[in-house]
Amino acid sequence: MRILLVDDERQITRALRASLQAHGFEVTIAVDGLDALNLFHQVKPDLLITDLAMPNLDGVELTRAIRKLSDIPIIVLSVRDHDAQKILALDSGADDYVTKPFSVTELLARVRAQLRRRTEITTPPETRIQQGDFLIDTEAHRVTIRGHELHLSPKEFDLLVLLARSPGRVLTHKTLLRGVWGPTGEDQPDYLRVLVAQLRKRIDTPGQDSYIESEPWVGYRLRTT
């Protein structure tokens, strides 16, 4: 598998390249977004890892440019005080992000998950979704959790299906609003907060961690373990 790694900090790229190569990946380094675009057609990467704050062409602009060319997984690297840019990158087409400082183990897990998800996407969506405690039948509009059937409203069901199709992955508020209510719902964040609260009451067990994890200012993910 080929990875295009984009970051203007040489110390980071040297360390990441060594770790990724040690796990069998072919790694090409670009020093900024423009360099990455020039290398993209030559390398034909299976996955892109990019920093957000870079000269010439930043990670958000690079993500938008790559999305016009390919649907390969894109993981962005972000420092904690760049939440707004991180959200913008996800809404622009990035698939996941890792917050600096991060462990190489975490990044490798995210890389494997994105490559695995890309393989799964090449096949038609299944009408039965098995994720952790959940079994969802999209045709029958039926949900069971730990063997017990749940009765969800249409919107609650749609939200759970969206989250279950991307387990462990953060879906942005905008993505979820668009997925449940369509384009007209994108500017109604209160709709999503209320719906998430309702769905949590249906699926969670009092005293235990929620199945739906919040990522402040970004979105939500479904916990399956």
Side-chain angles (χ1 to χ4, degrees):
M1 289 286 186
R2 296 179 297 274
I3 294 177
L4 180 57
L5 174 61
V6 193
D7 200 311
D8 59 335
E9 296 185 38
R10 293 182 182 276
Q11 184 176 357
I12 289 178
T13 54
R14 282 199 299 266
L16 289 182
R17 178 167 61 182
S19 296
L20 290 166
Q21 287 179 335
H23 286 79
F25 295 104
E26 298 178 25
V27 182
T28 300
I29 292 176
V31 296
D32 57 38
L34 285 178
D35 189 26
L37 281 179
N38 290 331
L39 288 169
F40 183 79
H41 292 291
Q42 302 174 35
V43 176
K44 295 186 170 85
D46 298 293
L47 180 140
L48 172 74
I49 300 174
T50 180
D51 190 27
L52 286 181
M54 297 182 296
N56 298 323
L57 192 73
D58 66 21
V60 172
E61 294 170 319
L62 175 60
T63 296
R64 289 172 176 160
I66 294 297
R67 275 292 163 258
K68 294 178 181 178
L69 303 172
S70 172
D71 63 351
I72 66 166
I74 299 176
I75 299 176
V76 297
L77 308 179
S78 169
V79 294
R80 291 186 182 278
D81 59 351
H82 284 178
D83 278 344
Q85 196 178 25
K86 179 168 60 182
I87 295 168
L88 185 57
L90 289 167
D91 281 337
S92 297
D95 297 282
D96 200 358
Y97 69 89
V98 179
T99 301
K100 295 180 178 179
F102 55 85
S103 69
V104 174
T105 301
E106 178 188 4
L107 179 61
L108 286 166
R110 300 294 182 94
V111 166
R112 288 191 294 267
Q114 289 301 324
L115 291 173
R116 183 169 60 249
R117 186 171 294 118
R118 177 172 170 78
T119 301
E120 293 169 352
I121 288 174
T122 60
T123 59
E126 294 184 1
T127 58
R128 289 171 63 85
I129 306 170
Q130 176 77 61
Q131 295 293 353
D133 293 335
F134 296 92
L135 177 60
I136 305 172
D137 187 329
T138 58
E139 284 190 342
H141 204 276
R142 183 183 180 189
V143 178
T144 59
I145 179 170
R146 298 184 300 276
H148 299 287
E149 186 170 356
L150 299 177
H151 298 284
L152 303 180
S153 72
K155 288 288 191 290
E156 291 168 349
F157 183 83
D158 290 345
L159 176 59
L160 182 60
V161 168
L162 281 172
L163 292 167
R165 288 201 187 279
S166 299
R169 173 188 172 191
V170 174
L171 298 182
T172 65
H173 299 129
K174 184 176 180 180
T175 297
L176 292 170
L177 285 164
R178 187 170 56 240
V180 176
W181 285 278
T184 59
E186 290 182 6
D187 299 322
Q188 302 293 337
D190 288 342
Y191 290 0
L192 183 59
R193 282 195 290 270
V194 171
L195 186 62
V196 168
Q198 291 174 346
L199 182 56
R200 280 173 167 163
K201 289 180 180 178
R202 303 275 194 180
I203 65 177
D204 288 345
T205 300
Q208 296 186 7
D209 292 339
S210 176
Y211 283 106
I212 302 176
E213 298 178 335
S214 301
E215 188 67 28
W217 310 109
V218 180
Y220 299 93
R221 65 160 62 87
L222 182 68
R223 177 180 61 83
T224 58
T225 58

